[in-house]
Amino acid sequence: MTLVPAAELAARETARWPGESPEYRVARTALLAEEIELRRHIERVAQMRRALPPGAEVKNYSFAGESGPTDLDGMFGDKQSLVVYTYMFGPQRERPCPMCTSLLSAWDGEAPDIRQRTGLAVIARSPIAKLAAFKAERGWQHLPLYSDEDQAFSRDYGAIAPDGSDIPQLLVFTRRDGTPRLFWAGEMGPDSADPGQDPRGAPDLMPLWTILDSTPEGRGTDWYPSLTY
């Protein structure tokens, strides 16, 4: 498909705002062209991800869920894909990671929509009773929480650091041929981080940063989400 150049599409837009200066309009239209290119690049990356060949087979790990024991296969439900987030709330922690909690608080509202298209699971190493108690404290209604009691899944899929601390992971599994396989997992860590930025994937999973990135202050370098304010 031949796409219209982004600068040409940007020039077609007629939005104008009360009192804007000619200088503002020139700069804003130039930015709009870059935003169009960004949208296109995001879609190209998504297409490349969808075109990945089948990944490695996955063992049918066991977990403790809020409704009792389950396994990885059971987390799929009636879906052919499964999104897993490994929550930084290991047994060594009295309280969970504030950054993970901020992300999951946003996901809780989206979970009913997400689960129309894919299975969803949030896995942590703390006992399920501890996870469920924090879920109730936080007021989460929709996130399915699971405890990796023997920590086998967490060890195999990079959710435990050498010092025993937690590592957050986003993993996607498929079950297209009846066999669970790893489809995709985030691989942007400290070794691939750009100077002055926290290691993070792209697109960013957190609506918080999407909103703050639209402000002149941005996300900053001296602020971190908190469990309470």
Side-chain angles (χ1 to χ4, degrees), residues 7 9 21 26 30 36 38 46 49 60 68 70 77 98 112 148-149 151 169 184 200 208 210:
L9 289 184
S21 66
V26 169
I36 292 168
L38 175 61
R49 187 182 296 116
N60 195 23
T70 189
D148 182 15
E149 294 180 306
Q151 305 187 26
Q169 290 279 17
W184 175 89
R200 63 177 187 264
L208 168 68
T210 301

Side-chain angles (χ1 to χ4, degrees), residues 26-78:
V26 169
R28 182 65 188 93
T29 300
L31 173 61
L32 178 58
E34 293 300 316
E35 291 170 341
I36 292 168
E37 291 286 11
L38 175 61
R39 180 190 68 201
R40 289 174 171 178
H41 192 73
I42 289 172
E43 180 55 28
R44 287 197 297 271
V45 170
Q47 289 174 348
M48 290 179 67
R49 187 182 296 116
R50 290 192 291 267
L52 285 170
E57 291 187 19
V58 179
K59 293 189 296 187
N60 195 23
Y61 296 90
S62 297
F63 303 91
E66 295 167 89
S67 300
T70 189
D71 53 26
L72 189 74
D73 192 61
M75 291 178 179
F76 280 86
D78 61 352

Side-chain angles (χ1 to χ4, degrees), residues 97-198:
C97 166
M99 189 78 79
C100 289
T101 300
S102 176
L103 167 66
L104 294 175
S105 292
W107 283 21
D108 183 63
E110 297 285 1
D113 296 313
I114 293 170
R115 297 175 79 179
Q116 299 304 306
R117 299 280 296 166
T118 183
L120 178 66
V122 177
I123 297 173
R125 294 184 293 134
S126 285
I128 190 61
K130 188 175 182 179
L131 301 179
F134 185 77
K135 177 178 180 177
E137 175 189 327
R138 195 72 179 180
W140 292 341
Q141 299 293 315
H142 307 295
L143 285 175
L145 302 184
Y146 300 92
S147 172
D148 182 15
E149 294 180 306
D150 63 9
Q151 305 187 26
F153 176 87
S154 298
R155 284 192 300 272
D156 288 349
Y157 285 92
I160 307 177
D163 65 359
S165 60
D166 300 301
I167 299 175
Q169 290 279 17
L170 180 69
L171 306 115
V172 180
F173 300 94
T174 58
R175 193 177 54 181
R176 294 290 187 271
D177 55 1
T179 301
R181 298 176 181 274
L182 177 67
F183 169 70
W184 175 89
E187 296 183 1
M188 290 189 190
D191 291 337
S192 59
D194 288 323
Q197 296 182 359
D198 288 333

